[in-house]
DNA sequence: TTGTAGGCGTTATCAG
DNA sequence: CTGATAACGCCTACAA
């Protein structure tokens, strides 16, 4: 039965077998053949609509549809130098802090038609450098979250491919940072109201920029508010790192502990509970990030919430903006933080 | 000062500027020029060591080193059809269950020189299908974890690229599964010992193969052990899903609830605590997976631990084996599960 | 508007 | 053992 205008050309046998061999992946040559035009016409029809006669375009589209055509991203990348891929490098995938970042980054990327490859450095600078070295030729940009690399190495990477940092600032390189000031001062004021006067800051890993930054700000605030403040660390930024630190923390006899992140705060609370130490009656505990788990523990953890998914999203968007040339580069995006008061902080124990 | 044998040829000015233009990325042509050999010799020297004279190889290597050469993976992929990339498709990145999978998969992949790209389907079958469609031309294989796709669609993907499933079985497609039998029967026996006789199974999402599978096994065991067993669901497999289910669970008046996963178990416990219901005195709760957070909550959650990282690792290794042709394909890898008894299960409340 | 030809960086084939 | 040469799939001057 003749069906008016759009007659679909049958697929020639020869073409069909060729497709079979390639696992069904058609090329613009196949389409050209089927539509009776040249390959370049196909290319134009499909990638810059409008620059071609409507009729031809329709015919090409129909053929493409029929063969279920997709561009081969590799061929395109080879030619254009753009892989439409970003790398996200994180220290520890199982750290809840990075989940949010990964999700935010993945969404922003796929919304823009980009693919996200993820590399875990397992808290090792060497492994991280290696992963980056391996990935760098394939990607259009790199998001480095909580990196363990030195400033120089970061710069050297950034010279070859666009880089956006999360939770780390390096001169001349765009970064997405939590607004540390606000979070820290809110937290310390909260503790001041609860009459704490002696505080321990449980630091993060040695090469953590943000841990140092937080402590610096605490020093300022402590001065202003009249706290005694000591830093204990560096520590591994995990549950176990928090557990392991309990002894040293207790030795300092503080009324409150601020952990570098929630993970450590959680570990500290677990260890404390095992020793029969009551939180917050005997010791108040607070953390940073507000990860999954912080409100699960008893008592739930007071923490400074960071916008993790948003950070991931922004980082990718910065990369995107940079590529499309819109860029006021080397910006610093600041994300606000919020103090979440929960049960782990309370009136200071009497220090006698 | 002349330094014996290995004189490094200076980089000719012309070559240097060419490199500059390309952002420092050298090609085998540049190396060929520098080493005074042909491009094909360079290719051979670098990718199949030994098939070339030692002296030439050394010269080529030196030149490559000097120019800091890396292969362009895209060019390679275009020709060989191998991108050395795998895709990992997950329903929800922020679900702790997938962390382990991601980590295991990422390690296995990078150990083999492969890159892992990750796609989140956000619990939507449509989004998942789209992501796969987008990724399929770029990758050498796909790991689908807890997929929401129908069997037919999975098969259709598997016809185009190698697929390994995690937590889902489809005829003819290799998969990595927890050994559901052992976990379920251990759990039910544990509950039997605690004198539970009336149990609710809080099901997972509608399209979850593994949720159905678990319930089927529970039915068998319940029969054998003389339980009353009802299934409530489907439910969203999240904390909120667990919370939302409390009312319906209570209405059924069970002495114990088994949640499809820990996330739901956690939510259920939170909701119960808010209503003043004591776990396990009034209601025992158990889950599956043993995620981060399960031992944080009070009381800590009894659960059937799955080897998540191992599952991710195996899935990637299956893919690898398949590509190198070693494959006894369409295998099912079974991973043992272990009952972890914690505080959320106890002696059954009297049912009056 | 459309077609032709050349090249992106690599590998494979075939001579030498 | 080594060197030309042709592909891989796409894009883009340039020509028609």
């Amino acid at each position: 039965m003749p069906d008016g205008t759009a007659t679909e050309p049958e697929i020639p046998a020869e073409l069909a077998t060729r497709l079979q061999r390639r696992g069904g992946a058609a090329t613009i040559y196949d389409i050209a053949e089927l539509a009776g035009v040249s390959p370049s016409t196909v290319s134009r029809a499909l990638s810059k609509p409008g620059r071609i006669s409507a009729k031809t375009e329709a015919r090409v589209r129909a053929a493409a549809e029929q063969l279920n055509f997709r561009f081969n991203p590799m061929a395109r990348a080879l030619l254009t130098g753009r892989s439409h891929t970003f790398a996200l490098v994180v220290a520890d995938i199982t750290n809840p802090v990075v989940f949010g970042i990964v999700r935010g980054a993945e969404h922003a990327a796929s919304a823009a038609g980009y693919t996200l490859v993820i590399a875990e450095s397992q808290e090792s600078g060497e492994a991280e450098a290696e992963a980056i070295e391996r990935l760098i030729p394939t990607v259009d940009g790199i998001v480095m979250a909580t990196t363990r690399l030195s400033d120089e190495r970061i710069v050297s990477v950034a010279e070859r491919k666009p880089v956006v940092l999360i939770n780390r600032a390096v001169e001349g390189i765009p970064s997405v940072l939590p607004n540390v000031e606000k979070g820290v001062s809110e937290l310390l004021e909260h503790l001041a109201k609860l009459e704490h006067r002696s505080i321990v800051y449980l630091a993060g890993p040695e090469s953590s920029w943000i841990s140092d930054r937080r402590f610096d700000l605490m020093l300022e605030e402590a001065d202003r508010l009249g706290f005694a403040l000591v830093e204990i660390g560096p520590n591994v930024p995990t549950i176990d790192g928090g557990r392991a630190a309990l002894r040293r923390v207790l030795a300092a006899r503080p009324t409150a502990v601020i952990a570098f992140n929630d993970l450590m705060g959680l570990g500290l609370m677990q260890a404390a509970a095992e020793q029969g130490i009551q939180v917050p009656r005997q010791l108040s505990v607070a953390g940073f990030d507000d990860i999954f788990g912080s409100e699960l523990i008893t008592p739930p953890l007071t923490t400074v919430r960071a916008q993790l998914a948003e950070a991931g999203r922004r980082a990718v968007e910065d990369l995107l903006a940079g590529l499309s040339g819109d860029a006021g580069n080397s910006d610093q995006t600041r994300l606000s933080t919020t103090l979440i008061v929960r049960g782990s902080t309370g009136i200071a124990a009497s220090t006698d």
Side-chain angles (χ1 to χ4, degrees), chain A residues 147 149-151 154 165-170 175 177 207 209:
Chain A
T147 179
L149 259 35
S150 66
D151 281 16
I154 294 175
L165 264 18
I166 294 181
N167 278 12
R168 168 88 166 244
V170 172
S175 58
L177 301 171
S207 48
W209 179 87

Side-chain angles (χ1 to χ4, degrees), chain A residues 173-246:
Chain A
I173 298 181
S175 58
V176 180
L177 301 171
N179 187 339
V180 193
E181 289 80 357
K182 173 162 173 274
V184 167
S185 69
E186 279 183 7
L187 176 57
L188 288 189
E189 266 157 26
H190 165 69
L191 292 176
K193 272 201 203 99
L194 295 171
E195 296 171 25
H196 291 272
R197 288 294 170 268
S198 170
I199 296 184
V200 160
Y201 174 59
L202 208 51
E206 196 162 4
S207 48
S208 170
W209 179 87
I210 199 151
S211 180
D212 294 347
R213 187 89 188 89
R214 282 175 188 162
F215 186 62
D216 283 350
L217 286 164
M218 282 182 204
L219 280 175
E220 286 175 26
E221 293 289 317
D223 194 33
R224 192 168 67 79
L225 296 166
F227 282 126
L229 174 66
V230 307
E231 179 182 33
I232 294 183
N235 298 284
V236 190
T238 61
I239 295 237
D240 284 340
R243 302 183 82 106
L246 179 65

Side-chain angles (χ1 to χ4, degrees), chain A residues 265-312:
Chain A
L266 258 22
L268 190 79
M269 282 177 65
Q270 284 187 327
E274 284 162 14
Q275 306 246 334
I277 295 165
Q278 307 218 346
V279 172
R281 188 145 9 143
Q282 295 170 270
L283 182 68
S284 285
V285 179
F288 282 90
D289 297 336
D290 192 25
I291 62 174
F292 173 82
S294 296
E295 62 171 341
L296 248 31
I297 200 168
T298 309
L301 184 64
T302 292
T303 186
V304 177
R305 175 182 294 168
Q307 303 183 56
L308 272 0
E310 182 67 12

